[in-house]
Amino acid sequence: MAKEKKKVLHMVEAMGGGVFTFIVELANGLCNDFDITIAFGIREETPKNYADFFDNRIQLVEVKNFTRSLNPMKDLKAYLELRKIVKDVQPDIIHTHSSKAGAIGRFMFPGKCEKVLYTPHGYSFLMEGVSKNKKKLYKLIEKICGAKSNCITIACGESEWKQGLTVCKESTYISNGINMSKMDRILETLPLVGKNHPYTVYTLGRVTYQKNPEMFNEIAKRLPDIRFVWIGAGELEDKLTAPNIFVTGWADGDCRYDVANAGDVFLLPSRWEGLPIALLEAMYMEKPCVVSNVIGNCDVIKNKVNGYMCNTVDEFVNAIEACRNYAQDNIIKEAKENIKESFNTDILCKKYKQVYNGGY
């Protein structure tokens, strides 16, 4: 008789961007070994055809009241929805993702299964642009939830793990990764980029305070003869005023790779990160990467070895100029090798399988 699979329930409020890609690859990569259910919230950037990304053995359940911000009434309703899902699924493992689902899942359900896991994807108490009191509140919530005896935090990179040691009882890290086989299939279908196309710097993600559109705009203004493309959309699009910036909006499926393929440099001036999937993809696509010197980015980029790490607008401008004027063969080769060796879904899924089976 075949051994019954363990049941894993993912709780994901932030079902978009890099978190969405992470969930897709992790769930698909482990559905042979585990019975997987995903309880999720819809965001603006969630693909309309999100179900098409998942193996048909994975059960998807929408949580109608998941919201990005703190909202006591909706948070209570979201908990009640999740409680019913937990009762129906009866999971062996609950794996929560990002701050909102992490707080609800760890605080409300630690006794309902074998273990509860939490992956922050960027701690909320590290956010800039919020008051000190809010940061203290977020950190207090993390400490309360992190004190639960059968809750384990699994950071998505080494620097996030080090931050997590200040707020949780048990912690480890498994670095984010990309699906290289899938990327190879996509890249094979993309058209060749002509030599005479406009030199293009691009980024990918929501246009939010975290992604620093003000600095992106300032860099574009300093380099008016270069085309800048923001793949995505968001509430701070009005900050992107330079005439050489083009905002694509959100695209379903793998359309973003068409735009990224025509880019010459990947730019990520974020104020903070977890460990960005978009950066890992750009490295694998052999794009020179110019990024901010913050948690997450520093786990993968080594300055002038496999990319450029910058602190100021001047440094960003100089790095982009270097990419335009000098061959980057050694840097992009080193970057791609790093992805192959350390930041891919084969490694990611193997390590999570060990954790789910009690290997932590």
Side-chain angles (χ1 to χ4, degrees):
M1 181 180 293
K3 184 179 179 182
E4 186 175 345
K5 294 180 181 179
K6 280 188 177 183
K7 296 179 180 179
V8 179
L9 172 62
H10 292 277
M11 295 182 180
V12 194
E13 181 275 317
M15 188 73 153
V19 177
F20 176 77
T21 302
F22 175 91
I23 292 295
V24 167
E25 299 301 344
L26 179 61
N28 287 345
L30 292 180
C31 64
N32 285 333
D33 302 290
F34 301 93
D35 185 347
I36 296 175
T37 300
I38 301 174
F40 65 96
I42 293 287
R43 284 192 171 187
E44 176 192 5
E45 63 269 29
T46 304
K48 291 181 175 60
N49 63 334
Y50 61 83
D52 295 342
F53 289 78
F54 292 95
D55 188 287
N56 57 19
R57 290 171 291 179
I58 297 167
Q59 183 180 4
L60 302 173
V61 185
E62 183 182 350
V63 179
K64 302 288 187 182
N65 288 283
F66 259 149
T67 59
R68 188 189 305 273
S69 58
L70 289 172
N71 184 321
M73 184 57 68
K74 281 192 169 289
D75 292 345
L76 175 59
K77 289 180 179 179
Y79 159 68
L80 295 174
E81 288 185 79
L82 289 168
R83 186 173 69 174
K84 182 179 184 305
I85 294 168
V86 170
K87 183 178 179 181
D88 291 342
V89 174
Q90 297 187 3
D92 299 292
I93 297 164
I94 293 174
H95 190 169
T96 67
H97 301 268
S98 298
S99 300
K100 175 64 69 68
I104 295 175
R106 287 182 295 163
F107 189 73
M108 302 294 188
F109 300 110
K112 301 295 184 181
C113 61
E114 179 184 313
K115 67 177 68 171
V116 178
L117 309 177
Y118 168 52
T119 300
H121 301 284
Y123 276 110
S124 55
F125 63 81
L126 296 176
M127 292 191 302
E128 296 185 21
V130 300
S131 68
K132 289 184 179 180
N133 287 337
K134 265 196 173 181
K135 285 188 177 183
K136 288 179 180 178
L137 174 61
Y138 293 151
K139 195 162 190 175
L140 177 61
I141 292 172
E142 291 286 354
K143 285 183 176 180
I144 292 171
C145 295
K148 299 292 183 180
S149 60
N150 74 329
C151 295
I152 301 169
T153 297
I154 305 181
C156 59
E158 184 176 3
S159 55
E160 184 175 77
W161 167 68
K162 289 178 180 178
Q163 290 291 329
L165 293 176
T166 67
V167 294
C168 60
K169 187 175 182 179
E170 293 190 72
S171 180
T172 186
Y173 74 92
I174 298 173
S175 294
N176 277 356
I178 62 168
N179 187 326
M180 295 188 297
S181 297
K182 178 183 175 182
M183 288 291 296
D184 287 338
R185 289 194 300 271
I186 292 170
L187 295 176
E188 286 174 1
T189 67
L190 298 178
L192 294 175
V193 180
K195 292 182 179 180
N196 296 323
H197 78 286
Y199 198 83
T200 301
V201 173
Y202 77 98
T203 196
L204 188 154
R206 292 183 64 247
V207 190
T208 61
Y209 183 82
Q210 177 195 358
K211 299 299 183 181
N212 207 349
E214 296 91 346
M215 180 172 278
F216 188 92
N217 190 69
E218 185 60 32
I219 295 165
K221 287 167 63 178
R222 294 274 296 275
L223 296 166
D225 59 332
I226 291 178
R227 185 171 186 253
F228 283 74
V229 176
W230 193 303
I231 305 171
E235 58 267 27
L236 295 183
E237 287 182 45
D238 61 335
K239 303 296 184 183
L240 301 173
T241 60
N244 53 330
I245 294 177
F246 175 70
V247 181
T248 67
W250 291 111
D252 285 338
D254 297 322
C255 296
R256 68 184 186 273
Y257 297 113
D258 291 328
V259 182
N261 186 51
D264 296 283
V265 173
F266 177 75
L267 173 63
L268 192 67
S270 306
R271 290 182 165 97
W272 72 92
E273 284 289 352
L275 202 166
I277 298 291
L279 171 58
L280 303 182
E281 290 181 340
M283 293 169 68
Y284 192 75
M285 293 176 72
E286 301 183 348
K287 306 296 182 181
C289 295
V290 181
V291 306
S292 53
N293 185 12
V294 296
I295 286 173
N297 293 343
C298 66
D299 287 336
V300 60
I301 293 294
K302 308 304 177 189
N303 192 38
K304 298 182 181 179
V305 175
N306 63 352
Y308 294 87
M309 191 80 75
C310 304
N311 295 289
T312 66
V313 171
D314 284 343
E315 290 179 3
F316 277 104
V317 169
N318 291 339
I320 293 169
E321 290 282 28
C323 292
R324 178 163 59 164
N325 295 326
Y326 304 103
Q328 301 294 310
D329 295 352
N330 291 338
I331 280 179
I332 61 178
K333 180 180 178 181
E334 180 70 19
K336 190 165 186 175
E337 287 301 314
N338 293 158
I339 299 300
K340 290 178 178 179
E341 293 169 3
S342 304
F343 300 99
N344 64 78
T345 51
D346 291 339
I347 297 172
L348 175 89
C349 291
K350 181 179 179 181
K351 290 184 176 180
Y352 268 108
K353 182 178 178 180
Q354 292 173 344
V355 172
Y356 288 170
N357 283 324
Y360 170 77

